[in-house]
Amino acid sequence: MSKNKIRHILSSTVTFLTTYRRLGRLSTQESRGLSILFTRNMATTTINSPRDPNTLSNYNNWRTLHTSTTLDILFDQQKLKGTVAHDLQAITDGESDEIILDSSHVLIHSIMAEGKAAKWETAKRLEPYGSALKIKLDRKPKLNEKIGIQIELETTESCTALQWLTPAQTSNKKHPYMFSQCQAIHARSIFPCQDTPDVKATFDFNLKSPLPVIASGLGAKENPTSPSADGSHQLYQFHQRVPIPAYLYAIASGDISTASIGPRSTVATGPDELKDCTWELEESTEKFLKAGESLVYPYAWGEYNVLVLPPSFPYGGMENPVYTFATPTIISGDRENVDVIAHELSHSWSGNLVSNASWEHFWLNEGWTTYLERRIQSIVHGSDQWRDFSAIIGWQALTDSIKNFGEEHEFTKLVIDLKGKDPDDAFSSIPYEKGFNFLYYIEKLIGQQEFDKFIPHYFETWRGKSLDSYDFKTTLLDFFKPDGKVSAKLAEIDWDTWFYKPGFPPKPDFDTTLVDVAYRLAEKWEGFTRNPDGPSDFKPSKLDIEGWTANQVVVFLEKVMASKTTLPMRHANHMGDVYKLKDTRNVEVSARYYQIAMASRDQSIKEFVVKMLGQVGRMKFVRPLYRGLMKLDYERAVETFEKNKDFYHPICRGMVAKDLMGSKKE
């Protein structure tokens, strides 16, 4: 048989198996296993294509079982220096004498394999994935054989996972600060690793620093609790015994103090912020934990703690195990923004225990987490109205993201194509909100009581593992297969449309009880705007929003933002004055108001916007504010970015730079 004939048969067979997998007839493991088996029987090259297109590692030959990092945190040089040790296991039989790891801008000094010096090389850099590190072994290990490697290294100034703050950039101006953000593919810029969510390993952290250290593991009891008196380095040790993907590797070091916020929870932050952070979080944290456990099963990570970071942190929160890394914008003095903690806590099950196999299926992490977060809100508040209230806010965020990308854009799909692309470029509210709406749709289709039976089954089935969207489909259909009534309802799902159609999903009929008052006020403003000089019985007053929650104000502002009629400048200015929106401590409120004012061409709002852009690094606020400022005053936007770019985290800095460049081209 000719080689071309063999290739044709192989291609047809793998296509057939992939189609069956997408239809839910085969699991990913079954499809891959049959592909490999068939190919071997054809006496040709093994089909060994990994599920994750955003890694350069050969993780289908090797799997990391355990990683130990021994690193010095060198503030004066703004780098980490030390060693990383990986214990890997061969998952093929005598096929590979080469271990390939992801690496990006890491300076490697030496590598040991099985206790002796190993030959190694770094491949030519492939953007945005870095330089593959190839480690040569002197043999081809057999199936399940274990290999230990040790890499001596240091990070460089091009590291995209770390942000270093000078004392002047911190709140009390006394000590420097460092923190990491490894999601999505930035762990490889700290140390070479299999930087894919399809691989999970246990971790040891051995970190030396003159300042307190926090990591995504349980800390040793003897860890120091305060800065060293003479600036010498102290040893901090942490252990993570639940296997995690590399993107959940997290460390932070600075002038950090801690306080209890519950029987199994601590908040950590700067000494000057500790009192406010404790008050903000102590009322809800344990309630959220118990609600989450009632939906799924007992919390698996021992402690649930929160590190409130300096303001340049680019996200609302990052679900690093044991210690959620959180933005200080949740500390608003009114406990109105702590739902971020409900979200990050939900990741303890969705994302951390059960992970998306690649960033193409990111909705499995974020859609599930948003669903759990809103169910937790319903339990804590005692009403499903709160879930729909949050979902309505989320729908507006979804609308904004789809509008920004364009309704036909690849990144508006639930399952996206990231081959050759940077997962950071696809980051938006879409996997959160479109994913939530898919799960919400399924729940409404079969009934909440039935769906609640599936929730713990799903998380137990995939506990400690990674999956893709086709695995989710198979798990759902198989679970309800014995129940003909539910199976018949699930047969109504148009999977291809949900997975692959760009743009909006069908909009649910949300309960608007908690938003109707906000909608009515927005309608009054719209009428006022359409006929500003005509007769009207509407006279804006601070009493309009008296007794409202901050989130109701958010809904009101978003409704105004969504109006086809732009608010005139004098009306926008009046709204800010009457409702005291310009300098509220709640950034969720003020940032939205600033967008309304900029759209009205209110030049006076620029100073407020510029001030916020120098104080807040959370991309949720930074990117929309820059987009608004670009339209109002492009030169001022560039000037503001140049002034603050070193304040922003590298991920945020890169995204805003792209926004500025794109706006200039337009």
Side-chain angles (χ1 to χ4, degrees):
M1 189 180 292
S2 70
K3 289 184 178 179
N4 286 339
K5 183 68 173 176
I6 291 173
R7 290 192 185 102
H8 175 74
I9 293 172
L10 284 172
S11 176
S12 298
T13 303
V14 172
T15 300
F16 170 79
L17 292 170
T18 301
T19 300
Y20 255 59
R21 175 165 71 94
R22 291 194 171 191
L23 289 172
R25 307 289 176 82
L26 290 173
S27 70
T28 301
Q29 291 87 345
E30 290 169 335
S31 175
R32 187 186 299 113
L34 287 171
S35 297
I36 293 172
L37 179 62
F38 181 81
T39 310
R40 285 175 177 166
N41 287 341
M42 293 298 294
T44 186
T45 307
T46 302
I47 296 295
N48 208 20
S49 175
R51 288 191 288 185
D52 185 355
N54 303 133
T55 176
L56 302 176
S57 68
N58 60 343
Y59 78 89
N60 271 16
N61 293 116
W62 301 91
R63 290 294 174 105
T64 306
L65 301 177
H66 181 74
T67 296
S68 179
T69 58
T70 302
L71 300 168
D72 278 340
I73 300 173
L74 305 174
F75 284 103
D76 57 338
Q77 301 175 54
Q78 294 195 342
K79 67 182 179 183
L80 307 179
K81 185 175 183 179
T83 60
V84 59
H86 295 298
D87 295 331
L88 300 107
Q89 184 176 39
I91 60 172
T92 54
D93 192 4
E95 287 190 7
S96 178
D97 61 355
E98 187 175 55
I99 297 171
I100 304 176
L101 301 178
D102 292 301
S103 183
S104 180
H105 300 302
V106 177
L107 180 58
I108 299 170
H109 296 297
S110 65
I111 299 178
M112 304 282 285
E114 297 186 281
K116 53 187 177 184
K119 295 181 180 179
W120 58 276
E121 64 174 342
T122 52
K124 183 179 179 181
R125 186 170 179 84
L126 177 64
E127 294 294 352
Y129 305 129
S131 306
L133 171 61
K134 300 180 178 181
I135 304 170
K136 195 73 173 177
L137 305 176
D138 56 11
R139 59 194 179 85
K140 295 181 178 180
K142 295 181 179 180
L143 181 67
N144 295 328
E145 192 171 346
K146 296 177 182 177
I147 296 290
I149 61 172
Q150 188 177 55
I151 304 170
E152 184 183 358
L153 57 85
E154 59 186 84
T155 61
T156 68
E157 63 180 8
S158 299
C159 176
T160 55
L162 301 176
Q163 183 166 17
W164 301 86
L165 304 178
T166 65
Q169 291 174 291
T170 63
S171 59
N172 63 13
K173 317 295 183 186
K174 293 180 180 179
H175 299 283
Y177 203 107
M178 179 279 301
F179 65 89
S180 66
Q181 172 59 36
C182 290
Q183 193 184 48
I185 57 171
H186 300 282
R188 64 190 70 179
S189 71
I190 299 180
F191 52 83
C193 58
Q194 293 181 323
D195 195 4
T196 167
D198 213 7
V199 173
K200 295 185 174 185
T202 54
F203 277 81
D204 285 328
F205 304 75
N206 302 292
L207 306 165
K208 291 183 178 180
S209 175
L211 298 170
V213 174
I214 278 169
S216 50
L218 295 173
K221 292 182 179 179
E222 61 271 18
N223 278 352
T225 58
S226 59
S228 62
D230 58 359
S232 60
H233 282 222
Q234 305 176 96
L235 176 64
Y236 294 81
Q237 294 183 306
F238 302 85
H239 309 283
Q240 183 49 265
R241 293 294 175 249
V242 181
I244 59 173
Y247 78 86
L248 291 177
Y249 179 91
I251 57 176
S253 183
D255 190 2
I256 298 171
S257 298
T258 61
S260 172
I261 52 172
R264 44 184 164 170
S265 301
T266 293
V267 64
T269 190
D272 296 343
E273 294 78 37
L274 188 60
K275 183 178 178 180
D276 283 353
C277 292
T278 302
W279 180 86
E280 200 88 22
L281 300 174
E282 63 185 356
E283 182 181 85
S284 300
T285 302
E286 183 63 18
K287 292 179 182 177
F288 290 157
L289 270 163
K290 288 180 177 178
E293 289 176 323
S294 72
L295 281 170
V296 193
Y297 47 63
Y299 181 76
W301 307 86
E303 300 173 13
Y304 178 74
N305 305 314
V306 180
L307 172 65
V308 180
L309 285 161
S312 57
F313 184 59
Y315 299 107
M318 179 61 208
E319 63 270 20
N320 300 313
V322 181
Y323 263 102
T324 281
F325 283 18
T327 171
T329 61
I330 68 171
I331 310 302
S332 53
D334 54 13
R335 290 177 172 157
E336 288 278 348
N337 295 326
V338 294
D339 286 345
V340 167
I341 301 304
H343 182 90
E344 303 310 329
L345 170 64
S346 296
H347 271 302
S348 302
W349 294 276
S350 170
N352 294 8
L353 275 182
V354 177
S355 309
N356 50 226
S358 80
W359 304 112
E360 295 183 319
H361 303 270
F362 190 38
W363 79 271
L364 287 168
N365 275 21
E366 296 298 351
W368 261 111
T369 297
T370 304
Y371 177 86
L372 292 178
E373 168 204 344
R374 289 173 181 161
R375 290 293 303 276
I376 288 172
Q377 289 180 37
S378 295
I379 293 170
V380 171
H381 292 295
S383 170
D384 264 357
Q385 291 177 352
W386 287 91
R387 174 171 69 155
D388 283 18
F389 180 38
S390 178
I392 290 167
I393 297 175
W395 187 270
Q396 184 59 48
L398 175 66
T399 300
D400 292 342
S401 292
I402 291 175
K403 180 180 179 182
N404 185 52
F405 280 124
E407 286 197 42
E408 296 301 316
H409 197 282
E410 175 69 25
F411 293 162
T412 66
K413 298 176 182 178
L414 203 57
V415 178
I416 61 178
D417 181 2
L418 283 175
K419 297 174 183 63
K421 301 171 185 175
D422 188 340
D424 283 344
D425 289 343
F427 182 82
S428 75
S429 63
I430 292 168
Y432 296 71
E433 299 300 337
K434 200 167 185 177
F436 162 79
N437 278 283
F438 185 32
L439 296 172
Y440 186 92
Y441 162 76
I442 296 172
E443 179 214 292
K444 293 297 182 183
L445 182 67
I446 66 175
Q448 189 177 102
Q449 186 175 358
E450 293 297 331
F451 194 71
D452 281 357
K453 298 175 185 176
F454 175 68
I455 293 173
H457 169 79
Y458 169 76
F459 285 103
E460 186 58 40
T461 299
W462 293 98
R463 184 178 183 132
K465 303 172 187 175
S466 303
L467 78 160
D468 61 24
S469 301
Y470 321 116
D471 295 320
F472 164 76
K473 175 182 176 181
T474 301
T475 306
L476 178 70
L477 298 182
D478 284 352
F479 178 73
F480 287 110
K481 191 175 291 183
D483 189 326
K485 185 177 179 180
V486 175
S487 291
K489 291 180 179 179
L490 291 174
E492 299 176 20
I493 300 174
D494 184 344
W495 292 92
D496 280 353
T497 295
W498 274 102
F499 282 171
Y500 308 120
K501 183 180 178 181
F504 288 94
K507 187 173 183 178
D509 185 17
F510 293 125
D511 184 332
T512 62
T513 301
L514 295 175
V515 300
D516 284 340
V517 62
Y519 285 172
R520 285 194 294 270
L521 182 60
E523 288 168 2
K524 290 179 180 179
W525 275 92
E526 185 169 7
F528 187 44
T529 297
R530 286 177 177 171
N531 190 20
D533 299 318
S536 173
D537 59 357
F538 176 57
K539 304 295 182 184
S541 162
K542 65 179 181 180
L543 298 177
D544 294 341
I545 61 172
E546 189 174 44
W548 285 22
T549 66
N551 280 336
Q552 285 174 307
V553 177
V554 164
V555 170
F556 159 69
L557 293 172
E558 289 187 339
K559 191 70 172 176
V560 173
M561 290 165 64
S563 174
K564 294 179 181 179
T565 306
T566 301
L567 209 63
M569 182 176 65
R570 61 192 178 93
H571 288 179
N573 202 302
H574 187 48
M575 177 188 288
D577 291 337
V578 170
Y579 299 152
K580 300 189 183 306
L581 303 175
K582 294 182 178 179
D583 52 7
T584 172
R585 186 178 174 186
N586 193 316
V587 182
E588 295 281 357
V589 172
S590 57
R592 285 172 172 85
Y593 169 69
Y594 294 166
Q595 292 177 65
I596 291 171
M598 284 190 289
S600 78
R601 312 300 296 177
D602 180 1
Q603 299 293 325
S604 69
I605 206 64
K606 282 193 292 189
E607 299 311 314
F608 292 90
V609 174
V610 168
K611 181 180 179 182
M612 179 174 285
L613 288 171
Q615 295 175 335
V616 174
R618 186 177 174 185
M619 288 195 293
K620 174 182 179 180
F621 304 122
V622 170
R623 294 185 72 190
L625 288 175
Y626 267 111
R627 291 183 190 125
L629 188 57
M630 286 176 216
K631 294 177 181 178
L632 184 63
D633 186 339
Y634 183 81
E635 295 303 321
R636 188 67 183 277
V638 172
E639 175 190 321
T640 302
F641 176 69
E642 288 298 322
K643 180 180 178 181
N644 295 306
K645 63 183 181 181
D646 291 336
F647 163 71
Y648 301 134
H649 187 278
I651 296 172
C652 178
R653 183 165 62 241
M655 298 305 290
V656 174
K658 289 179 181 178
D659 290 342
L660 284 166
M661 185 61 67
S663 178
K664 184 177 182 180
K665 289 179 180 178
E666 293 172 6

